[in-house]
Amino acid sequence: MAFRPVNLRFEHHLPLPGTLSTIGIGESHPRVSWNLENQPENFQQITYHLELLRGAEPTSATPPTYSEEIQGTSSTLIQWPESHALPSRSGAFVRVKVSGETASAWSDWHYVEAGLLIRSDWTCSRISSPSYTSPEAPSPSAIFKRSFAVKRGVKKARVYMTSQGVYDLRVNGKPVSTDFMNPGWTNYQDRLLYQVYDVAGALSEDSENHLTVEVAEGWFTGRLAWGDGVRNVYGDRNAIMAQLELEYADGTREVVNSDDRWQVTQGASTTAEIYDGQTFDASRAKLIEESLRGDLSLAGFAAAQVLPPLPESTELEAMTSAPMRQIDVLRPATQFTTPSGKTIIDFGQNLVGYARIKNVTGQKGHTITLKFAEVMENEELGTRPLRCAKVTDNFILAGTPEPESWEPNFTFHGFRYLQVDNWPGDTATLSSAIEAVVIHTDMTRAATFECSNASLNQLHSNVFWSMRGNFTGLPTDCPQRDERLGWTGDIAVFAPTATFLYDCTALLQSWLKDLWLDQKDLGGIPPVVSPNCLKAMGFWARVSECAIWNDAVILVPWALYQETGDLALLSAQFESMDTFLNSIPLDKNHDALWSDDSFQLGDWLDPLAPPDNPAQSQTDAHNVANAFLVNSLAIMAKICALLEKPAEAAKFSDWHARARQQFRHLYVTPAGFVSSDSQTAYALAIVFDLLEKDQLPTAGARLDRLIRKNGFRISTGFAGTPYVLEALVLTGHTQTAYRMLLETGCPSWLYPITMGATTTWERWDSMMPDGSINPGEMTSFNHYALGAVAHFLHERVGGLRCVAAGWARCRVEPLPGGEITKVKVEHLAIQGKIGAEWEVVDGVFRVEVRVPAGTVMEVAMPKGEVKEVGAGVWKFEEKFDAYSWPPKAISGLPDGITLEDVKNE
Ligand code: BGC
């Protein structure tokens, strides 16, 4: 197999599934990255040769538009040639080859195409249904239609499309993609994302064609947030903007714009809500279909109403991430009947998506009702945790002689169990007639983790599924109840885990823009949820200052920078970070720390907090807030240095030093005991480098003691969970860390596994040991925050960690312990796949590592020797003496401190 570059990417976009084509991007100079395939061992790139081809299909006869060989060792985020900007709509084929000691073959040609980059490119109108009133209640979907003639010889056909609401675009009645609920959720008043579809293959030449767009409430007008929530946060009517552009081989162009020539009528979904579900009337759908074939008046189509153009202040932005898509299909695992006689399907996995009904027959008007829940309680569907979300879909049959099928297009549910009410005929046919469709933002999976302990493998799988279920266009807290919001604290603690599990850069990059817009709107302090729909919700409208949640503006971009090495991501967020830190209300007496009067959620969901008050944690909330502040200041000082802002770097270093000193003065005894005397307080003090060298042994020993006294059970909430095991390792208590990780009593990481969990729970005991559901309001079975422990699985159990941003340098340093004898961990970094697999067999430690070109790897062997390797697959082994373990050095401790310094035997 040839040595060549593969997998070319433009900025952080993904190509269309199964293609080498990326269309509709918002950049005219997209930076280019690639991986290498079959490279020689230790290959080091010295030059790369980039070619662009514009205005023609690549053939051996076509000379490239641009061809240049450039000195450069990097294969990531390479500048696009300045004088070859891509104007709106135009594309380029791109290929690359590299050379070092050996030269590679050319990569395949990859295609990249710009979207509509300037506002005046948009010639379509914003149209709506004239029958919309200001709905205080859920409204039905609307369906828009436009017929148009297509000549022979279509060369290119694109639909540029967005909506206020969520839409489903079809050409000649067929979906143009598996995209789901576009254009996703953003701060619609400031930025509305558009999508671009290649529809050439769906058109019939030399004949009449039609576009239909169904639009539903989505996040634009639909109900958001808990209780009665809020409706119409961004406006009170749904609208669409569609622009079909056709290019023919003879050079002519035609544009079909949304305008008053479009017809619109009520769709077949009488309700289509995110929380409550969708009700679909198949008779109405049939009537619409018939009407579309000829007489539009049959289904009541009338001229669409043209609305005033979008205000100039609303950016029309190309979507950076891939959209949500139908990603997977799960068949029923089992089916059973409850004591009250309900029919339940168990899919065997808690997931996010919907149920698809296939080939059912029944009377016209017969309604099949689908109810969804994550758990069973008292042998019936456990719906109480869903709070005010009805989570119910209804399919009203048309009663056609041929079997009918349906799947919702405007709602999603978090579920493992599905209750099917009113199934026409024998329920024995159900398992072949129903399947679960998994939806989430389409992202490349970037991690595998497998080890010799089956429960840890299940824990990792649960974390993975909870990330999938909550990356629905933005990072949300949970996918099932009347919430599903972009809570900032959840992603603040989970970001380093998220970036390891999936390539989610584009999604988070987009969300950070919304976060900054919301932050400006609040006057400088970031919101606790973004997009900030809580603005319209009484008390919550006033809640904003709140460490961890606010710290997302620093912790999320920092995690993205560590993952990608992309300084542009930091630079884009710099103003947001700087504004946040400068807006913090400071304390009267300790002027480098949070004001003692500030509102804080603290170590949210500490297992000792009462079910009805998750903020009442054993660790003082201001202690937690200030620990996070010191950590954020340290990161900010580094960011300023990286962005070459020396004055700001000096300011934040100084603030960091004062904050650290004031923190110790307030919360730490000279010997190293930390007030609150809790797992979280010690974990944060150790991992955030808040202690002096001579305080570390006492702090580590106290943390170790607290954990032993607690029977190795966890006692941390959102704040402490990501750090407690790392704090043990950093202070030389590795075996306690393993003992705690492997604990199965409640609360612990493995307790939910013993209860059959297949996703990460919001609470340690969302399901209580007796099988009942925790009485607290906050009881989801799919919250990723506590899954931040997967970072420890990757970095310490697997031993693979990034030590220079963008995986330019990484380290494999496994910590054998507990009962674990074998681990395999892999990560798809920006340069390609990095992996480590270690095992201890018959007193011998063996490790095999995989290194892509562009990365240097340090392999730390148990006895302390560190080997350095480049591209290739490498194997090492040495005799393993458990008593000499752990080694003298452990990476991650502050500079100048060794394991000997922190141990307190
Ligand atoms: C959410 C959390 C969130 C918290 C903060 C909850 O309702 O589900 O994940 O961070 O509120 O108040």
Side-chain angles (χ1 to χ4, degrees):
M1 288 252 285
F3 160 40
R4 59 177 196 153
V6 289
N7 192 20
L8 267 62
R9 274 150 298 134
F10 304 96
E11 291 295 323
H12 298 287
H13 309 295
L14 280 187
L16 287 167
T19 73
L20 301 182
S21 184
T22 308
I23 67 169
I25 68 166
E27 296 85 2
S28 54
H29 291 87
R31 293 168 300 167
V32 189
S33 308
W34 58 85
N35 305 149
L36 294 179
E37 182 177 82
N38 303 315
Q39 76 274 19
E41 256 178 23
N42 276 323
F43 175 77
Q44 280 176 350
Q45 178 185 308
I46 298 170
T47 64
Y48 62 90
H49 191 152
L50 186 68
E51 283 195 350
L52 308 186
L53 177 64
R54 314 255 315 260
E57 295 279 325
T59 61
S60 50
T62 339
T65 323
Y66 165 92
S67 178
E68 197 156 333
E69 189 165 2
I70 297 164
Q71 292 276 326
T73 54
S74 175
S75 60
T76 61
L77 301 163
I78 298 299
Q79 287 306 320
W80 184 268
E82 192 49 47
S83 55
H84 288 262
L86 292 176
S88 292
R89 308 174 176 88
S90 82
F93 288 93
V94 183
R95 67 174 183 173
V96 71
K97 68 178 179 182
V98 299
S99 54
E101 259 179 36
T102 343
S104 78
W106 281 106
S107 71
D108 285 334
W109 287 101
H110 288 58
Y111 181 71
V112 61
E113 184 182 293
L116 301 181
L117 304 182
I118 39 179
R119 190 56 169 264
S120 55
D121 292 327
W122 287 89
T123 51
C124 64
S125 303
R126 186 165 66 108
I127 58 172
S128 183
S129 163
S131 62
Y132 269 108
T133 50
S134 295
E136 285 315 313
S139 51
S141 65
I143 186 152
F144 294 81
K145 189 245 173 161
R146 168 78 149 89
S147 300
F148 54 95
V150 176
K151 298 185 297 191
R152 200 170 283 281
V154 174
K155 196 175 129 203
K156 180 174 165 187
R158 300 283 186 265
V159 176
Y160 302 89
M161 175 83 225
T162 189
S163 67
Q164 292 177 318
V166 285
Y167 71 84
D168 183 346
L169 165 71
R170 294 175 189 224
V171 176
N172 298 328
K174 295 209 179 68
V176 294
S177 66
T178 59
D179 292 11
F180 191 72
M181 289 177 73
N182 276 333
W185 186 13
T186 48
N187 266 316
Y188 296 126
Q189 72 280 17
D190 297 309
R191 51 192 297 262
L192 184 59
L193 305 184
Y194 67 88
Q195 294 72 42
V196 184
Y197 304 93
D198 176 357
V199 296
L203 296 172
S204 310
E205 295 197 347
D206 232 358
S207 78
E208 191 79 352
N209 288 255
H210 68 265
L211 284 178
T212 51
V213 181
E214 190 181 4
V215 65
E217 301 186 313
W219 299 274
F220 194 85
T221 49
R223 185 175 113 234
L224 299 173
W226 53 90
D228 291 338
V230 274
R231 283 190 179 279
N232 306 321
V233 173
Y234 304 95
D236 58 15
R237 57 197 302 187
N238 299 118
I240 64 162
M241 287 173 68
Q243 188 164 318
L244 165 66
E245 300 195 359
L246 296 166
E247 247 180 71
Y248 291 97
D250 63 8
T252 53
R253 273 185 89 236
E254 278 169 5
V255 181
V256 178
N257 279 326
S258 48
D259 56 20
D260 57 5
R261 279 178 291 176
W262 286 54
Q263 300 279 311
V264 60
T265 190
Q266 183 178 319
S269 291
T270 50
T271 59
E273 292 190 279
I274 294 170
Y275 298 158
D276 287 349
Q278 194 165 340
T279 293
F280 182 83
D281 180 355
S283 302
R284 170 97 196 134
K286 256 189 89 221
L287 182 70
I288 294 171
E289 250 175 58
E290 208 181 317
S291 185
L292 286 171
R293 278 197 294 271
D295 179 1
L296 284 179
S297 67
L298 259 183
F301 275 96
Q305 185 181 351
V306 173
L307 299 182
L310 277 185
E312 284 296 321
S313 55
T314 307
E315 275 307 316
L316 272 170
E317 242 183 80
M319 198 173 201
T320 46
S321 80
M324 278 204 270
R325 293 199 170 108
Q326 296 148 7
I327 306 283
D328 234 337
V329 174
L330 263 64
R331 309 280 321 145
T334 54
Q335 181 182 326
F336 55 90
T337 307
T338 68
S340 72
K342 305 287 186 205
T343 305
I344 306 279
I345 289 176
D346 173 3
F347 286 98
Q349 171 65 52
N350 196 23
L351 61 96
V352 176
Y354 57 81
R356 175 186 281 157
I357 297 179
K358 297 187 305 182
N359 302 326
V360 62
T361 38
Q363 298 286 320
K364 178 177 166 129
H366 182 100
T367 304
I368 301 170
T369 299
L370 307 177
K371 293 189 169 156
F372 302 81
E374 300 187 299
V375 284
M376 300 294 292
E377 188 179 33
N378 302 326
E379 298 177 68
E380 300 288 342
L381 206 62
T383 53
R384 191 184 51 76
L386 305 174
R387 306 195 304 212
C388 293
K390 292 199 186 85
V391 197
T392 303
D393 293 341
N394 293 298
F395 177 45
I396 310 171
L397 272 70
T400 52
E402 62 283 354
E404 299 178 57
S405 300
W406 177 68
E407 59 194 289
N409 47 354
F410 297 128
T411 193
F412 60 90
H413 315 297
F415 65 103
R416 169 174 168 167
Y417 299 96
L418 165 65
Q419 177 176 311
V420 184
D421 292 347
N422 218 11
W423 185 252
D426 189 355
T427 51
T429 58
L430 254 180
S431 59
S432 57
I434 291 214
E435 58 197 17
V437 179
V438 176
I439 59 104
H440 54 81
T441 293
D442 200 355
M443 306 170 285
T444 308
R445 185 172 174 172
T448 35
F449 176 88
E450 275 165 52
C451 72
S452 52
N453 182 301
S455 300
L456 285 187
N457 294 341
Q458 184 64 45
L459 174 67
H460 193 268
S461 163
N462 292 5
V463 177
F464 160 70
W465 273 93
S466 282
M467 172 162 178
R468 302 180 89 182
N470 280 298
F471 273 57
T472 45
L474 68 150
T476 64
D477 57 335
C478 59
Q480 73 298 78
R481 67 184 179 214
D482 50 356
E483 211 154 342
R484 318 184 193 188
L485 308 177
W487 282 96
T488 50
D490 304 43
I491 191 63
V493 294
F494 190 69
T497 312
T499 54
F500 196 99
L501 292 175
Y502 271 104
D503 176 357
C504 53
T505 304
L507 178 147
L508 291 174
Q509 191 184 8
S510 171
W511 179 74
L512 285 168
K513 287 191 190 174
D514 288 310
L515 185 54
W516 173 218
L517 288 163
D518 281 322
Q519 185 186 346
K520 280 194 273 196
D521 191 45
L522 289 175
I525 289 277
V528 288
V529 309
S530 183
N532 191 5
C533 58
L534 302 188
K535 271 194 300 200
M537 284 194 59
F539 165 75
W540 282 95
R542 300 191 303 277
V543 173
S544 166
E545 305 158 359
C546 176
I548 311 180
W549 280 256
N550 297 156
D551 288 288
V553 299
I554 292 172
L555 299 177
V556 177
W558 185 241
L560 291 179
Y561 170 68
Q562 294 304 315
E563 179 58 37
T564 60
D566 186 1
L567 275 176
L569 293 169
L570 292 180
S571 176
Q573 297 308 125
F574 181 77
E575 211 183 330
S576 156
M577 307 180 198
D578 191 47
T579 306
F580 157 52
L581 291 170
N582 291 320
S583 308
I584 289 180
L586 297 174
D587 193 57
K588 287 191 293 293
N589 303 318
H590 302 94
D591 61 356
L593 299 179
W594 275 95
S595 158
D596 218 27
D597 298 328
S598 56
F599 173 88
Q600 299 294 344
L601 289 171
D603 194 19
W604 182 252
L605 285 169
D606 173 327
L608 293 188
D612 61 351
N613 189 358
Q616 202 182 309
S617 68
Q618 57 190 308
T619 313
D620 172 63
H622 282 83
N623 175 333
V624 170
N626 287 323
F628 271 82
L629 174 58
V630 182
N631 181 50
S632 285
L633 288 167
I635 294 174
M636 186 61 170
K638 287 184 201 155
I639 291 173
C640 294
L642 286 164
L643 296 179
E644 296 176 20
K645 295 176 184 291
E648 286 91 341
K651 170 182 150 183
F652 287 110
S653 301
D654 172 66
W655 184 355
H656 169 253
R658 284 186 302 115
R660 188 170 178 267
Q661 191 275 325
Q662 289 178 8
F663 182 94
R664 279 203 307 275
H665 172 70
L666 273 177
Y667 305 111
V668 188
T669 71
F673 288 101
V674 182
S675 75
S676 283
D677 199 31
S678 64
Q679 292 183 10
T680 291
Y682 282 100
L684 299 182
I686 293 166
V687 175
F688 291 166
D689 185 23
L690 306 181
L691 305 175
E692 293 297 358
K693 183 169 156 180
D694 59 357
Q695 293 172 325
L696 278 165
T698 307
R702 181 66 190 160
L703 175 61
D704 180 72
R705 161 122 354 142
L706 286 176
I707 288 164
R708 287 170 188 276
K709 280 202 328 187
N710 204 36
F712 299 99
R713 291 179 193 197
I714 189 91
S715 198
T716 57
F718 271 31
T721 299
Y723 310 107
V724 63
L725 295 177
E726 179 68 6
L728 286 168
V729 167
L730 289 180
T731 49
H733 302 282
T734 301
Q735 297 307 342
T736 307
Y738 271 105
R739 178 64 187 80
M740 187 180 195
L741 176 63
L742 296 172
E743 172 59 35
T744 54
C746 181
S748 66
W749 279 287
L750 296 188
Y751 162 71
I753 314 292
T754 68
M755 300 296 284
T758 56
T759 39
T760 312
W761 295 350
E762 178 174 25
R763 290 176 183 274
W764 295 110
D765 57 351
S766 281
M767 181 173 283
M768 320 268 273
D770 65 3
S772 63
I773 298 173
N774 190 300
E777 282 272 284
M778 310 284 166
T779 305
S780 117
F781 292 85
N782 203 350
H783 249 67
Y784 52 62
L786 298 182
V789 68
H791 197 53
F792 184 85
L793 297 182
H794 304 143
E795 286 205 339
R796 292 302 192 185
V797 181
L800 177 60
R801 54 166 46 206
C802 162
V803 289
W807 294 87
R809 177 172 275 271
C810 60
R811 185 172 174 97
V812 167
E813 184 182 26
L815 288 183
E819 301 142 14
I820 294 145
T821 52
K822 189 174 165 65
V823 186
K824 177 178 180 181
V825 60
E826 284 176 337
H827 177 61
L828 188 61
I830 193 163
Q831 299 86 349
K833 193 179 273 182
I834 303 185
E837 192 169 354
W838 66 260
E839 62 178 356
V840 177
V841 180
D842 299 332
V844 179
F845 171 88
R846 291 197 185 87
V847 63
E848 179 177 316
V849 299
R850 166 186 297 274
V851 189
T855 306
V856 177
M857 183 187 276
E858 303 161 3
V859 184
M861 298 296 285
K863 294 214 167 90
E865 193 189 345
V866 178
K867 320 214 183 237
E868 197 167 292
V869 290
V873 174
W874 312 95
K875 291 182 188 182
F876 304 101
E877 64 173 58
E878 70 180 28
K879 219 171 140 338
F880 180 72
D881 171 6
Y883 295 100
S884 70
W885 193 257
K888 288 211 161 39
I890 280 186
S891 59
L893 276 163
D895 284 348
I897 299 185
T898 68
L899 204 56
E900 286 307 303
D901 297 324
V902 299
K903 278 210 271 192
N904 184 356
E905 262 12 296

